[in-house]
Structure formats: structure tokens, C-alpha cells
Amino acid sequence: MKNNKPFIHLFRTFHSYYVYDVNTDSIVKISKDLYEYLHKVCTEDSVLDFEDAAENNSAISNLIKAGFLSSNRLEEIIHPQTDIVEYILNNKLSMLTLQVTQKCNLRCEYCVYSGNYEHNRTHSNKKMNFETAKKGIDFLINHSMDSNSISIGFYGGEPLLEFELIKRCIIYAEEVAEGKELLFSITTNGTLLNNEVASFLNEHKVSIMISLDGPKEIHDKSRKLALNKMGSFDLIMRNIEEIRKHYPDLYKKLKFNIVIDPENSLCCLNEFFVNYELVKDLAIRTSLVNGKYDNKGVPNHFIIESQYERFKVFLYEIGRLNINNISKIYYEQFQNEKVRMKDKETTKIGSLGKKGHHSGPCIPGALRLFMNVDGNLFPCERVDETSDDMIIGNIDSGFNIEKVKRLLNIGKLTEENCKNCWALLHCSLCAKFALDKSKLSANAKLSQCDGVRNRFDNFLKDYCFLKELGVRFNDYPDIISSL
């Protein structure tokens, strides 16, 4: 049966009432009375005929005339880039990440290789040989004809255990990538960043991401050396100090990846990245520890601390708090949200059409192609490497285009749910989130949906709240006033 109710989501801030219109991807400020009326329409079984209602309600009439309150929903879930997948993968690759080894000199408790999480990777002595790496580099160049810039990343295990291979790869790539801007990056635990390594990485302008979880008492709880089970914090700090002393330009470009365990104190973590001399001026990226809280809730104290730190960032945004008094971690996170707030087109009047797909999936392999030690190709380094469903090809046979299209159209798994989801244009789910025991599963994907809707609902509220307080996001268009 066709759903004739308006495809909308209602939300409110402390002072105001809003409707998010799915078809136009727009936010409209409305009156309390209209908010309550639309809420009744959307939650009760009766169906509102808006054309009839418009005769007695000018607010509804104006919204309809402006293109809002349509009941249109997708008739078929299909990703709009499906037909160009093969062209993109053959001509517009932009990055290849090489898993140069599955070995690591640390044993981090939360690592996906640790064996602590079901159906994921484990450490091994496997390493990539140069011939396989060379094929990967050639593959990237041969499939990036229409890309002016390409990037090669090095990943592990701990990639610097294969430093000699990395050197050969970089030198080879520089020889064969003539005419293209060539970028290099490495994700490392930082324990092997000695002078020889730093000198080479500096010379070849390699971007370095170091895993660092906070001050010594936090970092060393999880990130221990495999050899003696001692913490790695002191060794990493010594290496960073040497880089700062001998390679200041390289030092200034260092970035840190923080894996936050909610059991630890956010206050302690914030203080470290704001005040510790070696790290306070460097860029950070954060994520929550993987898998640990899948079957139990995040500790309540962490939720409270997080909300408080986020509130302080808001106070800074409206000029009520000095930047020195806010969390660097949450400030960096909010900067990413501000970009999203700025880029979102609130005044786009249009329609979903008949065919489409929820946001979330990119063309698997197009942006962050990952090749493991065996030469198997994956959409990116974040997916489950043990899953056959995630393998999209091999360096010798090339891409399996049909598997790529299947992962791109992951919404097909949950088609009816997606058609009626008000957050579909701002969904963050790709195939990575649809795995259960290494197999694609509709139930696994659906288990993530409430979280997606809650995050987008919070995003809408935060944006409107900040706008009410006078925050402006560059040239970001205003919310549409009540019509």
C-alpha cells in the first residue's frame, strides 16, 4: 500500500520547532501548532490529504506550494553510480593502501588483529614481497588515467617492520608515476621511528599518522610491546623528541590517531593533548575502541563527560568560553561537523525521484583501495579482511565488478526499510556495517539504523540550536523560515 503521509522528520530545540523535509533535504522552522498537527498526522493511522487541509490552513498551503511535505518515496533502491563503477575503477583510482605485513611488535588489547574479537584478523608472520607490491603500484597507476594526484599508503601490522620494502616501493613509485602528483602516507605505532626511518620519510615527504592513546598511564594500559609486555609510551615520546630536534618540518606535520576507551578519564585525555609539550600543537584524529562495547553500553560517566565537553565547544562557538578551556578532542570533532553543516544545501527544492540509494557507500575501492599481503583487493583498510564477501578482486585478476556493485548497492539488503527511512540522505552505513560472522546480513545492517537516525537527529538539533544563538557557518544558507 502506498504511503501517503508526508516524508518528514519533526524535531525541536528548547525554543523552536522544525520539520526536516526528506524530499528537498531542507529544514523549515514551523509554529508549535503546526508541529503538533504534523506530529499527529505522522503518528496516527489516518492519512492527511494536504490539498484539502490547505484550504483551511495557510501554513500547510504555503509549504506545499513551496515544494515541501511531499509523500514521495523511492520506488527502487539502486545506487546512482552503479552504471559508472567499471569506468571509475578503470580510470579514476586515487589511493592504494598496501598491507606490507601482518606482523606487529605490539600487542594492543583492542586491536582488530588481537584475536579478542570474533571474526576478525589475527597477527601472522605474513609479509608482502616486492613483486606483489610492485604489481599494486602499477595497478594504481594504470587505473588512474583521469586522476592527477594519487596516494600510496603503508599499513600493517606495524608497517615499519618492513621498512626496506617501503623504501623500495617509494623509490619505484617515484620512478614510474611521472606526470602525477604522488603522495605517501604511513600509519605506525611510532616505536620504530628512529633517525634512519625519519630521515627517509622526511626526504620523501611521507605523511605520518602515529597511534597514541593519551598520557602514559592510559596509553600503556593497552599498547604494550610484544617482546616484554612493557608499555610503549616512553619509546614513542623519545622518537618524537628526536624528530622534533632533527626534522622540525616533519615534526610539525605529524598526526596522532587516538583510540578512546570510554573506561578512561576524558579529563585526563583532554589535558594531555592540550598541555603535553610534544603533542599539544599537532593534529589529532579520534575513534572509539573497536568491539569492546558491542554487547554492553558505554559507561555512563563517559557519556556525561562527552556531553559536557561538547557543550563547552558550543560555548566557545558563541564566544562564551576561551579556546584554552575546551577539549581539543571535541573541538577537532566539531570542526568536521561544521564542514558538514556548511556544505549541506538546505534550500534545495526537488524530489527523490523513483530510484536512489541511501548515502554511506562510496564506490568500493575507488577512494581507498586496500591490498593485503596476498594481493587480494578490498574496498578499504577498515573492512573485515577475513570476509570473502569483502574481497573485490585480486591484483592478478583485477576487479570483480559484480561484487563491487553488490557492495555499492548494500541498501538492497534492507530495501523496504531504506525506502521509508527519513535519514536515508544522511546515512553513514556502507557494507562494512552489514557483516555478521563475515557474511552480509540484513539484520546486522538494520541493527545500526537506530544509531544512524539518532546521530542525524542530534546533528539537526545542534545545527538549529547554534543558528538560534547566532553562529554562522560561512556562507551557509539560513534555515527556511516558517512559510
Side-chain angles (χ1 to χ4, degrees), residues 421-460:
C421 178
W422 62 265
L424 72 96
L425 296 179
H426 296 269
C427 181
S428 57
L429 300 183
C430 63
K432 173 185 184 294
F433 299 96
L435 284 180
D436 179 24
K437 299 180 180 179
S438 299
K439 294 294 183 182
L440 292 173
S441 160
N443 287 336
K445 183 169 180 282
L446 289 173
S447 71
Q448 305 287 330
C449 294
D450 284 343
V452 169
R453 286 187 284 267
N454 288 338
R455 286 190 291 274
F456 185 45
D457 179 67
N458 288 333
F459 170 84
L460 292 170

Side-chain angles (χ1 to χ4, degrees), residues 170-377:
I170 289 175
I171 292 170
Y172 176 74
E174 289 173 339
E175 290 174 351
V176 297
E178 185 177 352
K180 291 186 181 294
E181 180 186 17
L182 184 58
L183 306 173
F184 299 104
S185 63
I186 187 168
T187 301
T188 173
N189 61 38
T191 60
L192 301 176
L193 280 171
N194 56 37
N195 184 69
E196 179 190 3
V197 172
S199 176
F200 182 85
L201 299 183
N202 181 58
E203 179 184 353
H204 294 272
K205 298 180 173 57
V206 180
S207 174
I208 304 173
M209 177 75 76
I210 300 173
S211 298
L212 181 70
D213 289 351
K216 181 177 174 65
E217 61 269 27
I218 289 179
H219 179 91
D220 283 352
K221 279 175 61 176
S222 296
R223 302 185 64 80
K224 296 178 172 62
L225 294 164
L227 184 64
N228 55 19
K229 305 304 180 185
M230 299 293 289
S232 57
F233 179 85
D234 291 335
L235 177 55
I236 297 169
M237 290 301 110
R238 285 199 298 270
N239 289 339
I240 293 175
E241 178 59 52
E242 288 298 305
I243 291 175
R244 182 170 71 164
K245 184 186 302 181
H246 299 292
Y247 309 100
D249 290 338
L250 180 63
Y251 166 75
K252 293 174 184 176
K253 297 176 183 177
L254 293 178
K255 300 180 181 69
F256 294 113
N257 182 55
I258 310 165
V259 178
I260 300 176
D261 188 334
E263 289 184 356
N264 296 322
S265 167
L266 260 182
C267 180
C268 184
L269 202 59
N270 288 329
E271 183 179 355
F272 174 75
F273 283 101
V274 168
N275 296 317
Y276 195 81
E277 182 64 26
L278 276 178
V279 306
K280 65 179 184 177
D281 296 321
L282 301 178
I284 61 173
R285 185 183 72 181
T286 61
S287 61
L288 284 181
V289 63
N290 179 69
K292 186 174 182 180
Y293 298 94
D294 287 352
N295 297 316
K296 60 179 180 177
V298 172
N300 193 53
H301 75 84
F302 179 82
I303 296 174
I304 294 172
E305 284 187 87
S306 298
Q307 291 174 340
Y308 177 61
E309 294 299 338
R310 186 172 175 82
F311 174 67
K312 289 199 297 182
V313 172
F314 284 9
L315 289 178
Y316 166 74
E317 288 292 326
I318 63 173
R320 299 291 183 88
L321 203 62
N322 188 286
I323 194 170
N324 295 325
N325 299 120
I326 66 174
S327 165
K328 181 178 179 181
I329 292 170
Y330 283 85
Y331 179 71
E332 292 290 338
Q333 289 181 357
F334 186 67
Q335 296 317 296
N336 294 329
E337 288 188 36
K338 282 178 72 175
V339 171
R340 183 182 175 193
M341 289 175 177
K342 183 181 71 174
D343 289 345
K344 184 182 176 298
E345 297 177 359
T346 56
T347 55
K348 181 179 67 178
I349 306 299
S351 173
L352 288 175
K354 294 183 178 181
K355 298 180 180 181
H357 196 282
H358 65 70
S359 61
C362 58
I363 295 178
L367 298 179
R368 300 180 63 91
L369 182 64
F370 177 68
M371 185 176 83
N372 73 357
V373 293
D374 297 317
N376 289 325
L377 304 176

Side-chain angles (χ1 to χ4, degrees), residues 374-404:
D374 297 317
N376 289 325
L377 304 176
F378 297 84
C380 69
E381 74 279 7
R382 298 174 182 173
V383 303
D384 184 349
E385 192 185 328
T386 68
S387 170
D388 287 340
D389 285 347
M390 289 292 110
I391 299 176
I392 58 172
N394 182 274
I395 198 60
D396 292 318
S397 58
F399 289 113
N400 183 324
I401 298 298
E402 292 309 309
K403 290 189 74 174
V404 172

Side-chain angles (χ1 to χ4, degrees), residues 11 16 21 31 34 51 106 108 110 167 179 204 217 220 224 250 261 275 308 352 362 381 412 416 419 478-479:
F11 66 98
S16 302
D21 187 80
S31 68
L34 183 55
E51 292 185 358
L106 295 189
C108 304
Y110 57 72
K167 287 199 297 184
H204 294 272
E217 61 269 27
D220 283 352
K224 296 178 172 62
L250 180 63
D261 188 334
N275 296 317
Y308 177 61
L352 288 175
C362 58
E381 74 279 7
K412 287 284 188 182
E416 291 308 311
K419 287 177 182 177
D478 287 334
I479 296 166

Side-chain angles (χ1 to χ4, degrees), residues 72-102:
N72 176 64
R73 286 159 171 79
L74 296 177
E75 295 180 8
E76 180 184 0
I77 294 292
I78 184 167
H79 200 285
Q81 293 181 308
T82 301
D83 291 338
I84 63 171
V85 161
E86 192 163 6
Y87 167 77
I88 295 294
L89 294 180
N90 284 335
N91 298 281
K92 296 195 71 171
L93 293 190
S94 57
M95 181 175 185
L96 173 67
T97 299
L98 299 174
Q99 182 192 58
V100 293
T101 181
Q102 292 183 348

